Amino acid sequence: MLPLQHQWKTLSVSFLDTILTVSMNRPKANAMSPELLNELKEIFNQVSKENKIKGVLLRSNLNSTFCAGADLSTVYNLSMAGQKSTIDKFVFDTLSRGMTAPLYCSKPVACSLDGHTIAGGLMLALSCDYIAIGTRKPFRIGITGPIVGIPYPLKAVRLVQHQLNPSLAYRLLVDANLYSSSNFPIECERSETPDDLSQKWLKMVGQRPLQGFQITKQKWWSDIIKLDNLDNEQEKKEYFDAVTSDACLQAMKKALTKEK
């Protein structure tokens, strides 16, 4: 069954000329709720099993934002409740798999960035096989978790290291700097119409035998995927202690107040 026959709540999908377009559609900023994360994981799983689909274009239906990352209200509420097992499930399973869903997909995945790409949203983009950045209007790209004291799990750290210049990766993870899309230092193509660039790349790759691409993609991401099987109980404890600390809770509460 093609994914467009499924009733998605946070995604809009369309299928044309062997390419599936997946548009995130969770106003106002495509914040990564459990529902959005689970749907991202599910749709890329379905794509891997569907022979009619040769590639995926991942984009946003929102005018100014690609994705704002993990829903801070979700993290804050879970941290306030102080249930370690629930936090572990959200951060190290739901969030970890959802925001990296494209790298598990056996088909080529192109990402079209034409709006703010923050934190987990950047992780999602970096998990794709191709990125096109829009030039029609500048937008922000970066990582903001450190501002409120939220640490990044090892898998997220390794992903940023894997895809970006190491010094840039460290500055993003530590300083929480936001870059303008106009000068974000990443190797990618740029255009006023990034969807068109992504479609062009997908069509080019789709004309080739798929198996060679799949083997290369699997090898490229193997070091990241291996982390899923790592015994990370110490990391989970460190994360729990950080997000349930008084300082982190106060910082998250302050940030949420500013958003209203």
Side-chain angles (χ1 to χ4, degrees):
M1 181 179 74
L2 282 172
L4 69 164
Q5 295 172 293
H6 185 95
Q7 295 299 312
W8 305 100
K9 294 182 179 179
T10 63
L11 305 173
S12 299
V13 299
S14 61
F15 183 65
L16 181 66
D17 295 334
T18 74
I19 295 173
L20 185 76
T21 298
V22 177
S23 302
M24 291 181 288
N25 190 30
R26 185 175 183 259
K28 55 183 181 177
N30 284 331
M32 289 174 160
S33 64
E35 187 172 51
L36 174 57
L37 291 162
N38 285 328
E39 290 199 340
L40 284 169
K41 176 182 175 181
E42 177 61 24
I43 198 165
F44 281 108
N45 282 342
Q46 289 190 25
V47 166
S48 293
K49 301 172 185 176
E50 179 51 66
N51 292 331
K52 292 181 181 179
I53 299 174
K54 302 299 183 184
V56 182
L57 166 58
L58 178 63
R59 59 183 303 281
S60 170
N61 257 358
L62 308 184
N63 289 329
S64 61
T65 304
F66 173 72
C67 178
D71 192 333
L72 186 59
S73 63
T74 298
V75 179
Y76 176 72
N77 290 334
L78 291 176
S79 301
M80 281 293 294
Q83 296 294 320
K84 184 175 179 299
S85 60
T86 308
I87 293 175
D88 288 352
K89 171 68 176 175
F90 175 70
V91 174
F92 294 93
D93 182 9
T94 306
L95 179 60
S96 176
R97 281 291 278 110
M99 73 179 184
T100 61
L103 66 84
Y104 295 88
C105 182
S106 64
K107 309 295 176 64
V109 181
C111 180
S112 174
L113 301 184
D114 206 17
H116 303 310
T117 305
I118 310 296
L122 179 57
M123 307 294 177
L124 180 62
L126 293 177
S127 298
C128 296
D129 305 303
Y130 172 92
I131 297 175
I133 292 181
T135 59
R136 183 170 50 87
K137 60 184 185 304
F139 54 88
R140 294 174 297 168
I141 301 176
I143 293 173
T144 54
I147 295 174
V148 293
I150 296 177
Y152 277 85
L154 178 61
K155 184 178 178 182
V157 172
R158 291 285 184 261
L159 174 62
V160 177
Q161 289 176 323
H162 190 272
Q163 296 297 88
L164 298 175
N165 176 281
S167 60
L168 169 63
Y170 191 66
R171 296 271 64 85
L172 285 169
L173 291 164
V174 174
D175 297 344
N177 289 333
L178 293 177
Y179 289 77
S180 168
S181 58
S182 302
N183 53 28
F184 186 66
I186 184 174
E187 291 292 331
C188 69
E189 294 190 280
R190 300 169 189 262
S191 166
E192 289 190 358
T193 54
D195 285 2
D196 292 343
L197 281 179
S198 296
Q199 293 272 8
K200 180 181 178 182
W201 180 81
L202 288 167
K203 289 177 181 177
M204 177 193 72
V205 176
Q207 292 173 354
R208 304 170 181 172
L210 180 61
Q211 189 174 9
F213 170 86
Q214 290 174 327
I215 292 171
T216 301
K217 179 171 182 174
Q218 186 177 38
K219 290 178 179 178
W220 180 258
W221 293 115
S222 60
D223 287 344
I224 304 296
I225 294 173
K226 285 177 184 175
L227 296 174
D228 290 338
N229 300 318
L230 194 68
D231 180 2
N232 60 350
E233 287 307 313
Q234 180 60 32
E235 182 183 17
K236 290 178 180 179
K237 181 182 183 302
E238 291 171 348
Y239 187 93
F240 176 79
D241 290 344
V243 297
T244 57
S245 67
D246 289 342
C248 189
L249 288 171
Q250 291 173 12
M252 285 192 283
K253 183 178 181 180
K254 183 177 179 180
L256 287 168
T257 302
K258 284 184 178 180
E259 290 180 3
K260 293 181 180 179

